[in-house]
Amino acid sequence: DAGVIQSPRHEVTEMGQEVTLRCKPISGHNSLFWYRQTMMRGLELLIYFNNNVPIDDSGMPEDRFSAKMPNASFSTLKIQPSEPRDSAVYFCASSFRGRATDTQYFGPGTRLTVL
Amino acid sequence: KQEVTQIPAALSVPEGENLVLNCSFTDSAIYNLQWFRQDPGKGLTSLLLIQSSQREQTSGRLNASLDKSSGRSTLYIAASQPGDSATYLCAVRPYNNNDMRFGAGTRLTVKP
């Protein structure tokens, strides 16, 4: 099992540019989570999906952020336009059924730097 | 709002020592608590998950306890090894909600 796959691993962009982060969950997992980790705020849940449907996006910081899951094996997190304060490590995680008892498996993360 | 605190923020011990990492949370109405390990530049790896009805969970040299009423959990690592060096995070999950709240983590260094 390849685990959760994220791409790119590192992204450096200039303020105002569009950024797209990608995630492939573990095959057979029905729930997918996007997190952001910063020194100031720690690890925060941005949004999660069950069966490709967004369930809770209350953690998405503002309208510049959007996430999609067009099928069970792919999700994107888009930031448009990007700002320096978006610099962080973005993690994707998946779990079997998304129940509270199910362990979440994390990807290696995408380190985003917005200049 | 749930607040999760981990003390100490950093810990350095010689190889072979037993150690305890602490996690406290302000709202005791949790569904479960989970301990993760994070290596530099990598994602999180789940170590132990304790349901609210449980008192402890064990896996190898790791033992996690939960005292929900007092809002505390500890992660005990026996006979520490240099390979245990990493950041350890605890996270609590409320009922019927996938919004896990994470602590800031304890950065552990085990010196050979």
Side-chain angles (χ1 to χ4, degrees), chain B residues 15-72:
Chain B
E15 181 177 4
E17 270 202 11
N18 303 323
L19 59 99
V20 175
L21 308 181
N22 297 292
C23 172
S24 62
F25 45 95
T26 54
D27 187 348
S28 61
I30 65 169
Y31 193 81
N32 59 39
L33 181 145
Q34 199 162 358
W35 283 93
F36 291 88
R37 168 185 173 138
Q38 184 174 25
D39 292 284
K42 297 191 177 180
L44 279 68
T45 301
S46 179
L47 297 173
L48 291 164
L49 186 152
I50 312 176
Q51 302 298 341
S52 62
S53 58
Q54 297 175 322
R55 288 287 187 145
E56 64 178 346
Q57 283 285 338
T58 298
S59 176
R61 295 182 292 107
L62 306 180
N63 176 277
S65 68
L66 174 64
D67 184 343
K68 198 175 71 166
S69 61
S70 67
R72 294 180 182 178

Side-chain angles (χ1 to χ4, degrees), chain A residues 41-78:
Chain A
R41 300 175 65 89
L43 200 62
E44 302 173 289
L45 178 66
L46 300 178
I47 185 172
Y48 77 91
F49 296 82
N50 268 355
N51 295 315
N52 312 337
V53 176
I55 302 300
D56 184 355
D57 65 354
S58 59
M60 296 285 263
E62 47 196 278
D63 292 344
R64 297 184 297 106
F65 286 70
S66 63
K68 294 182 179 180
M69 192 164 187
N71 57 62
S73 59
F74 183 66
S75 176
T76 60
L77 178 67
K78 185 177 294 186

Side-chain angles (χ1 to χ4, degrees), chain A residues 1-112:
Chain A
D1 190 341
V4 176
I5 299 173
Q6 291 187 247
S7 65
R9 292 294 311 277
H10 302 274
E11 176 81 29
V12 180
T13 190
E14 293 188 346
M15 182 175 62
Q17 296 297 306
E18 176 179 296
V19 175
T20 299
L21 310 181
R22 297 173 177 80
C23 175
K24 176 179 170 56
I26 292 173
S27 177
H29 282 190
N30 296 331
S31 295
L32 183 140
F33 307 80
W34 281 102
Y35 291 89
R36 178 172 68 176
Q37 187 176 38
T38 62
M39 289 293 292
M40 290 295 294
R41 300 175 65 89
L43 200 62
E44 302 173 289
L45 178 66
L46 300 178
I47 185 172
Y48 77 91
F49 296 82
N50 268 355
N51 295 315
N52 312 337
V53 176
I55 302 300
D56 184 355
D57 65 354
S58 59
M60 296 285 263
E62 47 196 278
D63 292 344
R64 297 184 297 106
F65 286 70
S66 63
K68 294 182 179 180
M69 192 164 187
N71 57 62
S73 59
F74 183 66
S75 176
T76 60
L77 178 67
K78 185 177 294 186
I79 307 172
Q80 166 63 22
S82 58
E83 297 182 2
R85 61 194 169 115
D86 302 330
S87 298
V89 181
Y90 291 81
F91 289 103
C92 175
S94 70
S95 69
F96 181 45
R97 279 167 293 208
R99 298 180 313 181
T101 53
D102 292 333
T103 296
Q104 293 182 20
Y105 295 85
F106 281 72
T110 294
R111 182 174 295 277
L112 173 65

